[in-house]
Amino acid sequence: MVDRPVYRGMTQAELDRAYDNRGHVADYAAILARWAEESAALYRSVPVLRDLHYGPQPRHRIDFFSAASRGRPTLFFIHGGYWQWCDKEDEAFVARGPLAHDINVVVVEYTLCPATSLDGIVAEMHAALDWLAPRLSEFGADPGQLCVGGSSAGAHLAAMLTGRPDVHGALLVSGLYELEPIRHLGINAVIGLDEASALRNSPILHLPVAAGPTCLAVGGGELPEMIRQADDYHAAWNKAGLPGGLLHIDGRDHFTIMDELSQPDGRLTAALVQLVGAGETRF
């Protein structure tokens, strides 16, 4: 039997490989273990309000890492994991870079597939912001400088929030913005996308009328489909007249690119500083 193309001329096996970020990075397990160690160290060393509940479900929780000064911007960061893996604690290490620039960081957790649908996760992220945004002043943060961000599946979820009036910028790293290919993957057995839900939840098909400046970032060493997703979304964003730019970071893959946010002098940290600043953004 000859395999038939299922998406953009790719067979099922080719498509699965085209989106297998873990399979593409030989030492991904060691990288994830390092993330966990660095995150645990950060929790021990800086002020953080842990497990604040934004809703009734067990995973409706956020951690608020406080900047040194009051009235500072906030990054609302959503972890990745193809909507089915990982916890907020796994990627909390990224807060180190922003904190070095006196930026608050919120890491947020959500119910994972298949316990809920992707529609349900998107609704949870809106609920988390509905809870957080009116309380930013209580936490000593500036409510007028709220930036959303995330990596991989988390970047997809952050992109779904960009049209909100309380969101003033976005840092989208190695994200998924068109979900039609995702519904053809083997892992969709867990995610549960059908044609309608893939269309509903594709940010490239639902660009906001207005949005704050947005930085789309992707590693130069990532899978070609991940790079295409970023390029296509940026092209659509730019065509719609929305503010922002595209940042290709050479020498970084789907996982090591996050070091560019955890490091105080990283390129993603620099992009975030621009996003929350008052000046012109050039990524």
Side-chain angles (χ1 to χ4, degrees):
M1 175 181 281
V2 177
D3 287 337
R4 296 180 178 179
V6 295
Y7 178 78
R8 296 177 71 91
M10 288 180 277
T11 66
Q12 181 66 65
E14 290 169 338
L15 183 62
D16 283 336
R17 286 195 297 271
Y19 281 90
D20 184 5
N21 292 302
R22 294 186 175 191
H24 184 62
V25 179
D27 60 344
Y28 86 89
I31 294 172
L32 296 184
R34 174 173 62 82
W35 287 7
E37 292 175 2
E38 292 182 5
S39 295
L42 188 69
Y43 277 109
R44 292 192 298 267
S45 62
V46 300
V48 56
L49 300 171
R50 298 198 66 172
D51 293 331
L52 304 172
H53 282 264
Y54 65 84
Q57 299 303 315
R59 291 179 65 89
H60 288 177
R61 300 178 299 147
I62 67 171
D63 295 340
F64 193 104
F65 289 89
S66 299
S69 307
R70 295 184 63 84
R72 296 294 297 157
T74 300
L75 171 65
F76 177 87
F77 185 84
I78 310 171
H79 69 79
Y82 265 130
W83 308 282
Q84 60 188 284
W85 304 310
C86 301
D87 304 314
K88 58 181 168 57
E89 291 85 0
D90 295 326
E91 291 187 39
F93 77 103
V94 300
R96 187 174 58 210
L99 287 171
H101 293 267
D102 215 14
I103 298 171
N104 304 291
V105 179
V106 172
V107 291
V108 60
E109 199 155 79
Y110 48 89
T111 306
L112 300 174
C113 297
T116 191
S117 65
L118 190 52
D119 288 308
I121 297 175
V122 172
E124 288 182 354
M125 293 300 90
H126 279 287
L129 277 186
D130 289 343
W131 183 90
L132 176 67
R135 293 173 170 82
L136 285 172
S137 294
E138 297 175 25
F139 292 127
D142 180 354
Q145 293 190 85
L146 174 61
C147 182
V148 297
S151 68
S152 196
H156 160 267
L157 295 170
M160 297 292 285
L161 304 173
T162 53
R164 291 177 58 112
D166 49 12
V167 170
H168 305 99
L171 179 63
L172 310 179
V173 185
S174 305
L176 299 154
Y177 311 109
E178 177 204 359
L179 301 193
E180 175 61 17
I182 308 305
R183 77 180 183 92
H184 295 287
L185 298 179
I187 60 172
N188 192 49
V190 175
I191 303 168
L193 287 171
D194 58 20
E195 183 176 6
S197 60
L199 292 173
R200 264 195 317 273
N201 291 292
S202 289
I204 198 169
L205 301 177
H206 305 283
L207 295 170
V209 175
T214 293
C215 176
L216 284 153
V218 66
E222 299 208 41
L223 287 162
E225 271 294 285
M226 300 304 298
I227 296 173
R228 181 193 67 80
Q229 287 256 358
D231 290 347
D232 286 359
Y233 191 52
H234 172 255
W237 188 269
N238 185 263
K239 185 177 180 180
L242 295 166
L246 178 65
L247 180 60
H248 281 229
I249 302 182
D250 293 338
R252 293 298 194 180
D253 60 41
H254 193 72
F255 301 96
T256 59
I257 192 173
M258 299 314 299
D259 292 330
E260 298 287 343
L261 183 56
S262 70
Q263 295 170 356
D265 60 350
R267 293 189 66 183
L268 292 178
T269 305
L272 175 64
V273 170
Q274 290 187 63
L275 287 170
V276 300
E280 183 179 1
T281 53
R282 292 185 178 180
F283 309 118

